[in-house]
Amino acid sequence: MLKSDIGIIGLGVMGRSLAKNMLSKDFSVSAYNRWTEAEKDIVPNFLKDASDNAQGFTNLSKFVNSLQSPRKIILMVTAGAAVDAVVSELKPLLDSGDIIADGGNSHFKDTQRRVQELKENDIEFLGVGVSGGEQGALHGPCIMPGGKQEAYLQFQPILEAIAAKDNDGKPCVSWIGPDGSGHLVKTVHNGIEYAEMQLIADCYAILSPTHSNEEIAAIFIKWNKGDHKSYLLGITATILQKKEGDDYLIDKVLDKAGNKGTGSWTSQLAFQLGIPTPTINAAVTARYLSSKKEERMKLSKAIPGHAIDEVPSLEALAATYRACRILNHHQGFEVIRAASDAHNWNINLSELARIWTEGCIIKSQLMESFVDVFKNHTSILDDRTILRTILKSEKPFLYTLIYSLKYRLLNSCISESYNYYAFITTAQSSAHIIQAQRDEFGAHTYRRNDRPENESFTTNWTNNG
Ligand code: 3PG
């Protein structure tokens, strides 16, 4: 048997779909899945409907020997301990110059550590973000590779062939930068995704007391034909229409949201970098609050909601949704910019926005507009047209906020986006009060607005005069 172009470890949904995608582009693929009683059919099932270019293994050393040198291996295993376990099994089987690419949702700090550990054996390690779910992996995902550029170049022809294509036909894959940069941008991609999902859920929460599922679906379909167009809005409209017998299936889905951690990683990272991401944080918190179902049920009996006697303005909600999405993306990109600066990664935000226009879960018309925004600005809110859009949305934004507060309708991301907007556009904040308090109780010092910023002062605040 000829040696394969590439190897994939882990034939779960994403691994299997990526392997099939590569085979469909005429690359030869060796696939490995561990042998356990529960997983014994995985490799045979994969080979059953794979082309002749596929080889399957449950023996790691045979798998490694089936690959062309330098070997290119993609790990599609659960992030965390499983990645370390596979890497330590692989290490003694590999030769200098071989490359391992981790295609899972790993924490970028784990990726940084693995890069260093494998350096000792002269093995390159790439952290590769992959987005698009099963269908994306099968027909064209968005791929965010980070690590040594020379190592990426070995994968480039394969990744470019399997990736989604943007409006100009260019592949939605691009070398993000060195080190853990690929996994970092995938994490923040997911943080933005959490808030994009929650913003749609907030709109649903505001509409649902006065609109049927069909009516909300129709509103979302209409929005999806204009500048609100996004993959997530489209699937939500579809979800709302799904029937089970005479009932809507969505009404039977338990309202406890799960998560695999990347949303909270984005918030943690933002806090570490000192970048405010309240819209994203609110989306993470909303998932945690949702899981407190029993407590919510109990308290809702003690403190019932309000009767609703007016219908929300759809025009105002649409404008609110527009402004919140801009603020959400702004926060996410600011985290990436700060991380890139902190690590000297030099991430190209315009190129990142470009690869996020297709193949990934947060693809949208709005994302397409950011490709040009980042050609001229370092930050989304530096763009005058975008600022004008938000300004035009201010009144409707406020109306929606007041409406949802008045009737106690859940508005996690909408209210936090408004607070962010209010704060970021206020020249004189109340932080001087905080500084004076800190100085009073801890002599932490403060700076003065009538003196150069590099001078600090401390005062005995209790003595007047
Ligand atoms: C994924 O990467 O699988 C999803 O985009 C995010 O997953 P979660 O919602 O389960 O955290």
PDB file of all heavy atoms in Angstrom, residues 14 105 130-133 186 189-190 193-194 197 257-264 287 361, ligand 1:
ATOM      1  N   MET A  14     -16.344  14.716  14.042  1.00  0.00           N
ATOM      2  CA  MET A  14     -15.520  15.705  13.336  1.00  0.00           C
ATOM      3  C   MET A  14     -14.354  15.043  12.605  1.00  0.00           C
ATOM      4  O   MET A  14     -14.060  15.384  11.454  1.00  0.00           O
ATOM      5  CB  MET A  14     -15.001  16.759  14.327  1.00  0.00           C
ATOM      6  CG  MET A  14     -16.056  17.684  14.868  1.00  0.00           C
ATOM      7  SD  MET A  14     -16.849  18.689  13.595  1.00  0.00           S
ATOM      8  CE  MET A  14     -15.647  19.997  13.361  1.00  0.00           C
ATOM      9  N   ASN A 105     -10.785  21.594  20.291  1.00  0.00           N
ATOM     10  CA  ASN A 105     -10.960  22.881  20.982  1.00  0.00           C
ATOM     11  C   ASN A 105     -10.053  22.943  22.209  1.00  0.00           C
ATOM     12  O   ASN A 105     -10.529  23.071  23.334  1.00  0.00           O
ATOM     13  CB  ASN A 105     -12.411  23.040  21.433  1.00  0.00           C
ATOM     14  CG  ASN A 105     -13.282  23.606  20.339  1.00  0.00           C
ATOM     15  OD1 ASN A 105     -12.792  24.255  19.418  1.00  0.00           O
ATOM     16  ND2 ASN A 105     -14.570  23.352  20.431  1.00  0.00           N
ATOM     17  N   VAL A 130     -10.938  24.493  14.330  1.00  0.00           N
ATOM     18  CA  VAL A 130     -11.800  24.048  13.218  1.00  0.00           C
ATOM     19  C   VAL A 130     -13.237  24.374  13.612  1.00  0.00           C
ATOM     20  O   VAL A 130     -13.693  23.991  14.687  1.00  0.00           O
ATOM     21  CB  VAL A 130     -11.679  22.523  12.974  1.00  0.00           C
ATOM     22  CG1 VAL A 130     -12.586  22.089  11.811  1.00  0.00           C
ATOM     23  CG2 VAL A 130     -10.230  22.122  12.686  1.00  0.00           C
ATOM     24  N   SER A 131     -13.938  25.094  12.749  1.00  0.00           N
ATOM     25  CA  SER A 131     -15.342  25.396  13.047  1.00  0.00           C
ATOM     26  C   SER A 131     -16.228  25.034  11.872  1.00  0.00           C
ATOM     27  O   SER A 131     -15.809  25.084  10.721  1.00  0.00           O
ATOM     28  CB  SER A 131     -15.523  26.883  13.368  1.00  0.00           C
ATOM     29  OG  SER A 131     -16.903  27.146  13.594  1.00  0.00           O
ATOM     30  N   GLY A 132     -17.460  24.692  12.198  1.00  0.00           N
ATOM     31  CA  GLY A 132     -18.432  24.410  11.137  1.00  0.00           C
ATOM     32  C   GLY A 132     -19.293  23.206  11.456  1.00  0.00           C
ATOM     33  O   GLY A 132     -20.174  22.853  10.682  1.00  0.00           O
ATOM     34  N   GLY A 133     -18.996  22.554  12.581  1.00  0.00           N
ATOM     35  CA  GLY A 133     -19.790  21.379  12.951  1.00  0.00           C
ATOM     36  C   GLY A 133     -19.582  20.250  11.946  1.00  0.00           C
ATOM     37  O   GLY A 133     -18.671  20.300  11.104  1.00  0.00           O
ATOM     38  N   LYS A 186      -9.836  30.445  17.951  1.00  0.00           N
ATOM     39  CA  LYS A 186     -11.008  29.539  17.950  1.00  0.00           C
ATOM     40  C   LYS A 186     -11.793  29.707  19.252  1.00  0.00           C
ATOM     41  O   LYS A 186     -13.032  29.689  19.256  1.00  0.00           O
ATOM     42  CB  LYS A 186     -10.570  28.081  17.762  1.00  0.00           C
ATOM     43  CG  LYS A 186     -11.731  27.070  17.850  1.00  0.00           C
ATOM     44  CD  LYS A 186     -12.758  27.287  16.758  1.00  0.00           C
ATOM     45  CE  LYS A 186     -14.119  26.654  16.898  1.00  0.00           C
ATOM     46  NZ  LYS A 186     -14.411  25.493  17.606  1.00  0.00           N
ATOM     47  N   HIS A 189     -13.657  32.899  18.908  1.00  0.00           N
ATOM     48  CA  HIS A 189     -14.741  32.619  17.949  1.00  0.00           C
ATOM     49  C   HIS A 189     -15.937  32.041  18.703  1.00  0.00           C
ATOM     50  O   HIS A 189     -17.089  32.458  18.515  1.00  0.00           O
ATOM     51  CB  HIS A 189     -14.222  31.632  16.887  1.00  0.00           C
ATOM     52  CG  HIS A 189     -15.285  30.976  16.054  1.00  0.00           C
ATOM     53  ND1 HIS A 189     -16.111  29.974  16.531  1.00  0.00           N
ATOM     54  CD2 HIS A 189     -15.673  31.180  14.769  1.00  0.00           C
ATOM     55  CE1 HIS A 189     -16.943  29.599  15.588  1.00  0.00           C
ATOM     56  NE2 HIS A 189     -16.701  30.312  14.506  1.00  0.00           N
ATOM     57  N   ASN A 190     -15.666  31.084  19.574  1.00  0.00           N
ATOM     58  CA  ASN A 190     -16.764  30.458  20.323  1.00  0.00           C
ATOM     59  C   ASN A 190     -17.393  31.430  21.318  1.00  0.00           C
ATOM     60  O   ASN A 190     -18.601  31.383  21.542  1.00  0.00           O
ATOM     61  CB  ASN A 190     -16.263  29.208  21.054  1.00  0.00           C
ATOM     62  CG  ASN A 190     -16.093  28.032  20.106  1.00  0.00           C
ATOM     63  OD1 ASN A 190     -16.000  28.224  18.899  1.00  0.00           O
ATOM     64  ND2 ASN A 190     -16.038  26.823  20.634  1.00  0.00           N
ATOM     65  N   GLU A 193     -19.630  33.413  19.406  1.00  0.00           N
ATOM     66  CA  GLU A 193     -20.745  32.502  19.068  1.00  0.00           C
ATOM     67  C   GLU A 193     -21.753  32.399  20.232  1.00  0.00           C
ATOM     68  O   GLU A 193     -22.965  32.465  20.020  1.00  0.00           O
ATOM     69  CB  GLU A 193     -20.139  31.134  18.747  1.00  0.00           C
ATOM     70  CG  GLU A 193     -21.114  29.994  18.542  1.00  0.00           C
ATOM     71  CD  GLU A 193     -20.357  28.670  18.342  1.00  0.00           C
ATOM     72  OE1 GLU A 193     -19.519  28.595  17.434  1.00  0.00           O
ATOM     73  OE2 GLU A 193     -20.599  27.718  19.120  1.00  0.00           O
ATOM     74  N   TYR A 194     -21.234  32.259  21.445  1.00  0.00           N
ATOM     75  CA  TYR A 194     -22.132  32.184  22.616  1.00  0.00           C
ATOM     76  C   TYR A 194     -23.050  33.412  22.660  1.00  0.00           C
ATOM     77  O   TYR A 194     -24.245  33.307  22.907  1.00  0.00           O
ATOM     78  CB  TYR A 194     -21.326  32.142  23.919  1.00  0.00           C
ATOM     79  CG  TYR A 194     -20.881  30.775  24.408  1.00  0.00           C
ATOM     80  CD1 TYR A 194     -20.261  29.870  23.558  1.00  0.00           C
ATOM     81  CD2 TYR A 194     -21.063  30.412  25.738  1.00  0.00           C
ATOM     82  CE1 TYR A 194     -19.832  28.641  24.038  1.00  0.00           C
ATOM     83  CE2 TYR A 194     -20.645  29.174  26.225  1.00  0.00           C
ATOM     84  CZ  TYR A 194     -20.014  28.286  25.362  1.00  0.00           C
ATOM     85  OH  TYR A 194     -19.589  27.078  25.827  1.00  0.00           O
ATOM     86  N   MET A 197     -25.608  33.551  19.843  1.00  0.00           N
ATOM     87  CA  MET A 197     -26.727  32.638  20.139  1.00  0.00           C
ATOM     88  C   MET A 197     -27.656  33.253  21.181  1.00  0.00           C
ATOM     89  O   MET A 197     -28.875  33.230  21.055  1.00  0.00           O
ATOM     90  CB  MET A 197     -26.177  31.294  20.658  1.00  0.00           C
ATOM     91  CG  MET A 197     -25.408  30.523  19.609  1.00  0.00           C
ATOM     92  SD  MET A 197     -24.458  29.163  20.314  1.00  0.00           S
ATOM     93  CE  MET A 197     -25.736  27.951  20.582  1.00  0.00           C
ATOM     94  N   ALA A 257     -29.076  25.136  29.292  1.00  0.00           N
ATOM     95  CA  ALA A 257     -28.081  25.136  28.213  1.00  0.00           C
ATOM     96  C   ALA A 257     -26.774  24.503  28.673  1.00  0.00           C
ATOM     97  O   ALA A 257     -26.281  24.820  29.755  1.00  0.00           O
ATOM     98  CB  ALA A 257     -27.841  26.564  27.744  1.00  0.00           C
ATOM     99  N   GLY A 258     -26.224  23.638  27.861  1.00  0.00           N
ATOM    100  CA  GLY A 258     -24.934  23.015  28.158  1.00  0.00           C
ATOM    101  C   GLY A 258     -23.790  23.884  27.662  1.00  0.00           C
ATOM    102  O   GLY A 258     -24.007  24.923  27.029  1.00  0.00           O
ATOM    103  N   ASN A 259     -22.594  23.491  27.966  1.00  0.00           N
ATOM    104  CA  ASN A 259     -21.425  24.177  27.396  1.00  0.00           C
ATOM    105  C   ASN A 259     -20.194  23.303  27.597  1.00  0.00           C
ATOM    106  O   ASN A 259     -20.158  22.499  28.519  1.00  0.00           O
ATOM    107  CB  ASN A 259     -21.211  25.547  28.034  1.00  0.00           C
ATOM    108  CG  ASN A 259     -20.541  25.455  29.383  1.00  0.00           C
ATOM    109  OD1 ASN A 259     -19.328  25.544  29.490  1.00  0.00           O
ATOM    110  ND2 ASN A 259     -21.317  25.234  30.431  1.00  0.00           N
ATOM    111  N   LYS A 260     -19.232  23.499  26.688  1.00  0.00           N
ATOM    112  CA  LYS A 260     -18.002  22.722  26.819  1.00  0.00           C
ATOM    113  C   LYS A 260     -16.834  23.578  27.281  1.00  0.00           C
ATOM    114  O   LYS A 260     -15.705  23.120  27.296  1.00  0.00           O
ATOM    115  CB  LYS A 260     -17.693  21.992  25.506  1.00  0.00           C
ATOM    116  CG  LYS A 260     -18.733  20.890  25.206  1.00  0.00           C
ATOM    117  CD  LYS A 260     -18.258  19.884  24.183  1.00  0.00           C
ATOM    118  CE  LYS A 260     -18.150  20.461  22.794  1.00  0.00           C
ATOM    119  NZ  LYS A 260     -19.461  20.822  22.200  1.00  0.00           N
ATOM    120  N   GLY A 261     -17.094  24.828  27.617  1.00  0.00           N
ATOM    121  CA  GLY A 261     -16.061  25.622  28.290  1.00  0.00           C
ATOM    122  C   GLY A 261     -15.425  26.750  27.506  1.00  0.00           C
ATOM    123  O   GLY A 261     -14.840  27.651  28.104  1.00  0.00           O
ATOM    124  N   THR A 262     -15.534  26.746  26.171  1.00  0.00           N
ATOM    125  CA  THR A 262     -14.793  27.775  25.433  1.00  0.00           C
ATOM    126  C   THR A 262     -15.358  29.188  25.662  1.00  0.00           C
ATOM    127  O   THR A 262     -14.609  30.171  25.578  1.00  0.00           O
ATOM    128  CB  THR A 262     -14.763  27.457  23.922  1.00  0.00           C
ATOM    129  OG1 THR A 262     -16.072  27.039  23.527  1.00  0.00           O
ATOM    130  CG2 THR A 262     -13.768  26.364  23.616  1.00  0.00           C
ATOM    131  N   GLY A 263     -16.656  29.285  25.962  1.00  0.00           N
ATOM    132  CA  GLY A 263     -17.236  30.603  26.254  1.00  0.00           C
ATOM    133  C   GLY A 263     -16.625  31.186  27.517  1.00  0.00           C
ATOM    134  O   GLY A 263     -16.191  32.341  27.545  1.00  0.00           O
ATOM    135  N   SER A 264     -16.553  30.346  28.563  1.00  0.00           N
ATOM    136  CA  SER A 264     -15.979  30.871  29.815  1.00  0.00           C
ATOM    137  C   SER A 264     -14.470  31.100  29.664  1.00  0.00           C
ATOM    138  O   SER A 264     -13.933  32.023  30.266  1.00  0.00           O
ATOM    139  CB  SER A 264     -16.298  29.967  31.004  1.00  0.00           C
ATOM    140  OG  SER A 264     -15.710  28.724  30.834  1.00  0.00           O
ATOM    141  N   ARG A 287     -26.100  30.859  30.383  1.00  0.00           N
ATOM    142  CA  ARG A 287     -26.121  29.381  30.319  1.00  0.00           C
ATOM    143  C   ARG A 287     -26.084  28.795  31.732  1.00  0.00           C
ATOM    144  O   ARG A 287     -26.781  27.833  32.023  1.00  0.00           O
ATOM    145  CB  ARG A 287     -24.936  28.857  29.505  1.00  0.00           C
ATOM    146  CG  ARG A 287     -25.059  29.193  28.028  1.00  0.00           C
ATOM    147  CD  ARG A 287     -24.260  28.232  27.171  1.00  0.00           C
ATOM    148  NE  ARG A 287     -24.182  28.698  25.803  1.00  0.00           N
ATOM    149  CZ  ARG A 287     -23.610  28.032  24.812  1.00  0.00           C
ATOM    150  NH1 ARG A 287     -23.040  26.863  25.043  1.00  0.00           N
ATOM    151  NH2 ARG A 287     -23.577  28.518  23.593  1.00  0.00           N
ATOM    152  N   ILE A 361     -19.468  28.738  12.362  1.00  0.00           N
ATOM    153  CA  ILE A 361     -20.790  28.938  12.972  1.00  0.00           C
ATOM    154  C   ILE A 361     -21.154  30.424  13.036  1.00  0.00           C
ATOM    155  O   ILE A 361     -22.331  30.771  13.029  1.00  0.00           O
ATOM    156  CB  ILE A 361     -20.810  28.311  14.403  1.00  0.00           C
ATOM    157  CG1 ILE A 361     -20.401  26.827  14.365  1.00  0.00           C
ATOM    158  CG2 ILE A 361     -22.160  28.487  15.093  1.00  0.00           C
ATOM    159  CD1 ILE A 361     -21.361  25.902  13.671  1.00  0.00           C
TER     160      ILE A 361
HETATM  161  C1  3PG B   1     -18.213  23.602  19.649  1.00  0.00           C
HETATM  162  O1  3PG B   1     -17.075  24.016  19.415  1.00  0.00           O
HETATM  163  O2  3PG B   1     -18.515  22.408  19.728  1.00  0.00           O
HETATM  164  C2  3PG B   1     -19.297  24.600  19.777  1.00  0.00           C
HETATM  165  O3  3PG B   1     -19.074  25.608  18.861  1.00  0.00           O
HETATM  166  C3  3PG B   1     -19.406  25.165  21.170  1.00  0.00           C
HETATM  167  O4  3PG B   1     -19.720  24.172  22.015  1.00  0.00           O
HETATM  168  P1  3PG B   1     -20.564  24.387  23.389  1.00  0.00           P
HETATM  169  O5  3PG B   1     -21.759  25.223  23.068  1.00  0.00           O
HETATM  170  O6  3PG B   1     -20.942  22.980  23.761  1.00  0.00           O
HETATM  171  O7  3PG B   1     -19.643  24.997  24.391  1.00  0.00           O
END
